[in-house]
């Protein structure tokens, strides 16, 4: 039995927030974003949190939030931080929350999208490509394994992606 929430996973810059907001609008669901929820809860940006409290603190905050959402989320499209499926216990929580959709994009597409972006501590700074390529390669099989559905986002319009996810959800029974 699946709850009718949709959980979006994937690498930084794969479009979780943009697709998630549009999808939530199309389904009349509520859009939630784990990064934004953590920032609000702790009153600081993710970058500040990495700097002041360390990555482990942030990862623990992510797990605690997922646990809470797995008990209470209803009618939600949830965009998750790119590192979320890397903890095994998180993957179980993601599935408890709802149908897990991996937004797959090529590393080249992602690097292009992140080009002028700041505010992501793992992507900011020098040698971005050198750091992100191996991280992407390490994570790709984990995203794929964690997903109920893999949505290839390359060369697709938002409309096309949303229709595809809606079809997936039509086959999910409450
Ligand atoms: C992270 C991705 C970020 C954010 C944090 C760590 C990661 O979220 O959670 O900077 O480990 O990939 P987005 O995927 O929304 O950029």
């Amino acid at each position: 039995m699946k709850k009718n929430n949709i959980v979006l996973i994937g690498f930084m810059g794969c479009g979780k927030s943009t697709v998630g907001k549009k999808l939530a609008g199309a389904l009349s669901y509520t859009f939630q974003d784990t990064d934004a929820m953590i920032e609000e809860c702790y009153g600081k940006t993710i970058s500040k949190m990495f700097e002041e409290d360390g990555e482990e603190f942030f990862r623990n905050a992510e797990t605690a939030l997922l646990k809470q959402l797995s008990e209470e989320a209803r009618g939600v499209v949830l965009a998750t931080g790119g590192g979320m499926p890397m903890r095994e216990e998180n993957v179980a929580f993601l599935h408890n929350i709802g149908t897990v959709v991996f937004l797959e994009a090529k590393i080249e597409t992602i690097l292009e999208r992140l080009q002028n972006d700041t505010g992501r501590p793992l992507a900011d700074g020098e040698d971005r490509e050198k750091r992100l390529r191996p991280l992407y390669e390490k994570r790709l099989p984990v995203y794929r394994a964690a997903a109920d559905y893999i949505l290839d986002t390359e060369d697709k319009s938002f409309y096309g992606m949303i229709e595809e996810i809606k079809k997936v959800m039509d086959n999910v029974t409450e």
Side-chain angles (χ1 to χ4, degrees):
M1 201 160 82
K2 274 273 184 194
K3 294 171 203 154
N4 68 345
N5 302 304
I6 302 170
V7 181
L8 303 179
I9 62 168
F11 205 74
M12 294 169 259
C14 72
K16 290 165 291 187
S17 299
T18 320
V19 173
K21 279 179 197 159
K22 289 181 193 288
L23 180 63
L27 294 169
S28 301
Y29 279 21
T30 306
F31 174 74
Q32 290 185 322
D33 181 316
T34 58
D35 285 343
M37 291 169 100
I38 290 172
E39 287 185 335
E40 199 186 323
C41 178
Y42 289 90
K44 57 173 98 172
T45 63
I46 307 284
S47 296
K48 260 259 165 302
M49 199 180 271
F50 266 62
E51 199 184 302
E52 293 180 355
D53 311 300
E55 181 171 348
E56 190 65 14
F57 183 90
F58 170 70
R59 299 299 174 196
N60 290 337
E62 283 191 313
T63 301
L65 175 61
L66 274 195
K67 185 172 190 290
Q68 185 192 332
L69 288 172
S70 71
E71 283 152 20
E72 38 185 67
R74 294 287 179 280
V76 161
V77 176
L78 181 70
T80 59
M84 202 65 102
M86 300 310 289
R87 274 192 184 178
E88 224 174 284
E89 61 179 317
N90 289 358
V91 176
F93 287 132
L94 293 171
H95 285 289
N96 264 332
I97 294 171
T99 302
V100 179
V101 178
F102 168 36
L103 301 189
E104 182 159 357
K106 289 188 197 136
I107 185 64
E108 289 75 20
T109 309
I110 285 169
L111 288 169
E112 210 177 293
R113 284 203 198 131
L114 293 178
Q115 220 169 31
N116 298 312
D117 195 88
T118 54
R120 289 180 168 101
L122 299 180
D124 288 347
E126 301 285 294
D127 287 335
R128 179 174 283 195
E129 182 170 350
K130 245 193 196 159
R131 284 179 290 115
L132 290 188
R133 263 186 199 276
L135 190 63
Y136 175 90
E137 268 149 35
K138 183 173 156 201
R139 287 181 175 183
L140 190 59
V142 181
Y143 293 137
R144 285 187 174 148
D148 292 309
Y149 187 78
I150 300 173
L151 177 69
D152 180 0
T153 64
E154 294 290 337
D155 304 320
K156 274 189 196 146
S157 65
F158 285 123
Y159 178 78
M161 289 189 241
I162 285 159
E163 287 306 302
E164 203 173 320
I165 299 174
K166 273 162 83 177
K167 270 193 204 133
V168 173
M169 294 310 289
D170 284 345
N171 296 318
V172 174
T173 46
E174 268 242 59

